[in-house]
Amino acid sequence: AGAPQVIPLHTPDPDYPPVAETLPLAPVTCAVRFLVGEDGAPESVEVRACPEPFRGITSEALSMWRFEPQQFEGAPLRFSTDT
């Protein structure tokens, strides 16, 4: 078996920070690594690259994401992924 298949079930978007509305920004992309627990909820979120006004809200939004729980040989599995 290879890496677990990441299947998102609930992926709310972050709220756009009010301070960012005054900044001349192109579309924003953030690099994030997170650990998904046996229940499909993120256990930790690490924002690796993201403009400052978006770091906190990106982490908050990803903490609310939910994924299909993974199993290996019938046992619940924790896994990390990057996005």
Side-chain angles (χ1 to χ4, degrees), residues 2-80:
Q5 184 178 4
V6 179
I7 302 172
L9 301 175
H10 179 67
T11 58
D13 290 330
D15 293 325
Y16 201 76
V19 69
E21 293 177 9
T22 64
L23 302 174
L25 298 172
V28 175
T29 301
C30 297
V32 182
R33 171 172 280 172
F34 50 99
L35 175 66
V36 178
E38 295 174 355
D39 62 354
E43 291 183 358
S44 66
V45 176
E46 176 190 357
V47 179
R48 305 181 102 192
C50 191
E52 187 54 46
F54 298 92
R55 293 180 76 81
I57 60 167
T58 298
S59 179
E60 289 173 20
L62 243 155
S63 294
M64 293 186 288
W65 284 25
R66 295 298 176 263
F67 299 86
E68 186 169 303
Q70 300 294 303
Q71 292 192 351
F72 179 72
E73 296 181 356
L77 179 67
R78 294 169 70 208
F79 62 95
S80 66

